[in-house]
Amino acid sequence: MKISEFLIDKDKSLKDALRVINNNGQGLCFVVENFKLLGIITDGDIRRYLLKATKFGPKVSEIMNKNFIYFHVETEASKIRQSLKGKIKFIPLVDDDFKIVDIANLQKTHRIPILEPVLEGNEMRYMQECIETNWISSQGRFVKDFENLFSKLHCNLPAVSVSNGTNALHLSLKTFEIGEGDEVIVPNITFAACSNAVIHSGAEPVFCEIDIDTWCISPIEAEKLITDKTKAIMIVHLYGQVADLDAFRNLAKKYKILIIEDCAEAIGSEYKGKPVGTFGDVATFSFFGNKTISTGEGGMILFKEREKAEKSKILRDHGMHPEKKYWHEFVGYNYRLTNIQAAIGFAQLERFQEIIERKITIYSWYKLFLKDVSGIAKLPQELELSRHSNWLFTLLLEEYLDKKTVMKSLLKKGIESREVFYPLNLMPPYKNYKCSKNTSNSQNISNNGISLPSSVNLSRDDIFYICSSIKKLLDEF
Ligand SMILES: Cc1ncc(COP(=O)(O)O)c(C=O)c1O
């Protein structure tokens, strides 16, 4: 849906307006003068006018509605959504000069959102099957099908589905009996779910500086933090970037500690030809709405050992004995995924290769179009022999640029962007835990990093538009 398909110049005729409406198929168009929004006209307005008409051939500006709903392009998506109801299916978004820059609808409130799921395969059909068969809870064929296909895509390691990526981390820690008195090394730049899961397990997170190139946890810095209490290192493959897995495997062997791979942002990434998530003792995934494979909310755990996978399934289901109903072996949780969520996930996995290939193509377009743009300090760097699956394309701006102003200017062009996480060690709930002495890399990426739209459905033209907008904008600074 292009904006141009909805626009008509104020001096055009009603017949021209009908042509525009007929072509866009949405029953309305917006009247403009040099992109400045003047009014709205629907096919109903034209019909009503013609039925009463005494003169023919007026300009659209003579019969358009001047009272209509619009929002400034920087308005929060949730506020726009509240107005998209009843007959209001499209809302124009304008810039400071009242020029139309975007058209919001229920599927898409901004022209280029940062990330959105694309549910174009069998998702609806499989969900309908759940409802028609009444299997809407955590029993049903899709939970098994989803786990089996996930396992197949990950070197046949046992896969255990859970209700989200945070619970996947928590359940992993509890399966390995990590708790009070233990320490888990966590990267200082990651989503807070990583440290929250450790704290909820009873253990203490120890925040580790990130690597200057991969932006993932640094093996050199991690080694400095290992103590007698260290039980595990949580490796987060940030934004789809792959951490230095060989270095961590050496550390794990040397110090007899566990490796937890958090692949929430990196499904489809590879290291030395093998998928991430198959290197650690345990690996976790998230299927939140903005993730590469999405079930709305959901998660998965991969275990190296089948025995641990079986134990985690018991913990996932209240600690209940798998054969002796209502006999509890452990104090467990309810972390199950529903059949409906698994149905969506299974349909998504059916298109796994296609989705990952598309994400990687988007990555290559960004790298091509943003090469040598002044104002950009760094594009993502990949480790040799790794494959970046580009969950979220992220770059570092030069320090002289004001990140917030750049993001605001992008939004005015209908392009959403996102800030990099804050260093965990600086935030109130985490600031009393141990941390690497030097956190300048964390600070740098947090201060200067922005992420750009990376949804699977973006076209080469979209990426070109985003990159040329950035280039133009940065040239103006
Ligand atoms: C690195 C990382 N770990 C864990 C999570 C938590 O996943 P969820 O939102 O499914 O609980 C996320 C989620 O966004 C994440 O980015």
Side-chain angles (χ1 to χ4, degrees):
M1 204 181 71
K2 290 196 183 118
I3 301 180
S4 56
E5 291 168 10
F6 283 81
L7 303 188
I8 180 131
D9 188 86
K10 72 174 190 11
D11 292 326
K12 294 283 181 187
S13 68
L14 292 192
K15 195 168 176 183
D16 292 326
L18 275 178
R19 206 169 285 125
V20 172
I21 293 171
N22 195 43
N23 287 343
N24 69 34
Q26 302 298 341
L28 85 173
C29 60
F30 299 105
V31 184
V32 292
E33 181 179 19
N34 287 333
F35 289 98
K36 211 168 193 154
L37 186 59
L38 303 176
I40 179 171
I41 190 160
T42 66
D43 50 3
D45 294 331
I46 299 174
R47 189 179 60 241
R48 281 184 289 277
Y49 172 81
L50 288 177
L51 285 172
K52 290 195 288 186
T54 49
K55 65 170 181 153
F56 289 96
K59 293 175 184 169
V60 282
S61 55
E62 290 172 47
I63 72 153
M64 69 186 180
N65 285 311
K66 290 183 191 149
N67 275 334
F68 55 88
I69 297 178
Y70 64 90
F71 284 105
H72 191 276
V73 66
E74 286 171 33
T75 311
E76 282 273 308
S78 56
K79 193 165 172 207
I80 300 173
R81 278 220 167 84
Q82 280 170 13
S83 298
L84 283 162
K85 57 185 175 210
K87 283 189 183 159
I88 312 287
K89 299 211 164 51
F90 296 93
I91 297 179
L93 305 181
V94 295
D95 64 11
D96 296 340
D97 301 324
F98 219 72
K99 286 194 171 157
I100 182 164
V101 289
D102 215 341
I103 299 168
N105 64 45
L106 257 185
Q107 277 83 41
K108 213 175 200 172
T109 49
H110 289 81
R111 180 164 166 197
I112 308 189
I114 186 83
L115 278 165
E116 61 178 351
V118 176
L119 308 167
E120 289 174 350
N122 286 319
E123 287 84 351
M124 186 65 102
R125 193 154 73 82
Y126 293 161
M127 255 177 65
Q128 198 169 345
E129 182 183 320
C130 296
I131 291 166
E132 280 169 1
T133 57
N134 250 348
W135 288 103
I136 57 169
S137 202
S138 52
Q139 313 273 313
R141 83 166 177 108
F142 288 113
V143 176
K144 280 270 152 308
D145 288 349
F146 185 37
E147 288 178 343
N148 289 342
L149 186 50
F150 197 90
S151 165
K152 206 168 149 201
L153 292 166
H154 292 89
C155 305
N156 294 314
L157 289 181
V160 178
S161 60
V162 285
S163 42
N164 58 55
T166 311
N167 291 344
L169 285 169
H170 188 238
L171 193 61
S172 305
L173 293 161
K174 295 322 285 181
T175 303
F176 284 96
E177 289 168 27
I178 292 174
E180 217 170 302
D182 298 333
E183 288 178 352
V184 178
I185 299 175
V186 172
N188 199 29
I189 292 284
T190 180
F191 185 49
C194 301
S195 50
N196 291 347
V198 174
I199 296 167
H200 286 309
S201 78
E204 295 201 357
V206 176
F207 299 117
C208 181
E209 175 62 315
I210 54 165
D211 179 79
I212 187 72
D213 290 323
T214 64
W215 305 336
C216 295
I217 183 166
S218 153
I220 296 165
E221 296 304 317
E223 185 164 15
K224 293 181 194 164
L225 298 172
I226 295 173
T227 68
D228 291 347
K229 292 183 176 176
T230 309
K231 284 286 172 320
I233 301 181
M234 191 183 285
I235 297 170
V236 179
H237 301 296
L238 198 75
Y239 300 134
Q241 180 69 279
V242 180
D244 188 350
L245 283 161
D246 273 351
F248 282 107
R249 286 204 294 192
N250 289 339
L251 281 187
K253 218 187 268 168
K254 184 168 166 193
Y255 294 99
K256 299 195 172 40
I257 47 181
L258 298 168
I259 294 291
I260 302 168
E261 275 187 81
D262 182 343
C263 308
E265 303 179 1
I267 190 167
S269 291
E270 287 182 355
Y271 183 67
K272 298 191 171 170
K274 273 177 62 185
V276 295
T278 60
F279 294 86
D281 298 277
V282 60
T284 61
F285 294 80
S286 162
F287 308 124
F288 180 62
N290 66 9
K291 295 298 186 296
T292 299
I293 295 294
S294 176
T295 59
E297 294 276 1
M300 191 73 81
I301 316 178
L302 289 175
F303 288 93
K304 199 189 245 168
E305 292 170 25
R306 194 156 292 278
E307 198 187 292
K308 288 281 187 279
E310 293 310 317
K311 180 175 172 189
S312 82
K313 282 185 195 168
I314 297 173
L315 282 171
R316 173 182 69 174
D317 192 13
H318 304 281
M320 191 155 49
H321 194 287
E323 268 111 47
K324 198 167 162 186
K325 267 241 167 274
Y326 306 113
W327 179 263
H328 293 258
E329 296 282 331
F330 306 101
V331 179
Y333 312 93
N334 176 357
Y335 283 173
R336 296 175 310 237
L337 189 75
T338 67
N339 202 40
I340 298 179
Q341 291 165 318
I344 299 173
F346 183 61
Q348 291 258 286
L349 284 191
E350 286 181 331
R351 296 191 298 119
F352 184 71
Q353 303 303 351
E354 186 194 320
I355 289 173
I356 301 299
E357 274 167 29
R358 186 71 186 180
K359 294 282 274 186
I360 292 171
T361 304
I362 290 171
Y363 179 73
S364 64
W365 288 332
Y366 267 128
K367 282 205 135 183
L368 178 70
F369 299 145
L370 291 177
K371 206 169 59 180
D372 305 325
V373 170
S374 62
I376 295 180
K378 204 166 191 171
L379 293 175
Q381 311 283 307
E382 281 162 281
L383 278 183
E384 222 179 296
L385 301 175
S386 74
R387 179 174 92 165
H388 189 318
S389 64
N390 190 33
W391 171 56
L392 194 51
F393 189 88
T394 303
L395 53 83
L396 290 196
L397 295 172
E398 292 286 4
E399 277 178 35
Y400 69 84
L401 292 164
D402 177 34
K403 186 173 72 171
K404 295 246 192 252
T405 311
V406 173
M407 293 174 71
K408 239 177 151 183
S409 310
L410 283 174
L411 199 54
K412 282 188 183 148
K413 291 175 185 294
I415 303 166
E416 268 188 351
S417 56
R418 188 176 126 158
E419 292 178 75
V420 165
F421 303 113
Y422 293 102
L424 285 167
N425 72 311
L426 298 184
M427 290 187 275
Y430 316 114
K431 65 175 188 243
N432 292 329
Y433 292 104
K434 286 195 231 165
C435 180
S436 292
K437 282 200 183 75
N438 183 350
T439 55
S440 53
N441 294 345
S442 309
Q443 200 63 68
N444 179 20
I445 169 172
S446 178
N447 287 347
N448 303 306
I450 60 165
S451 304
L452 300 175
S454 303
S455 308
V456 182
N457 57 358
L458 292 176
S459 66
R460 195 176 196 271
D461 283 353
D462 291 327
I463 306 296
F464 186 75
Y465 170 73
I466 296 166
C467 296
S468 41
S469 303
I470 289 180
K471 194 167 180 310
K472 200 157 163 253
L473 228 151
L474 297 186
D475 281 346
E476 283 163 11
F477 267 90

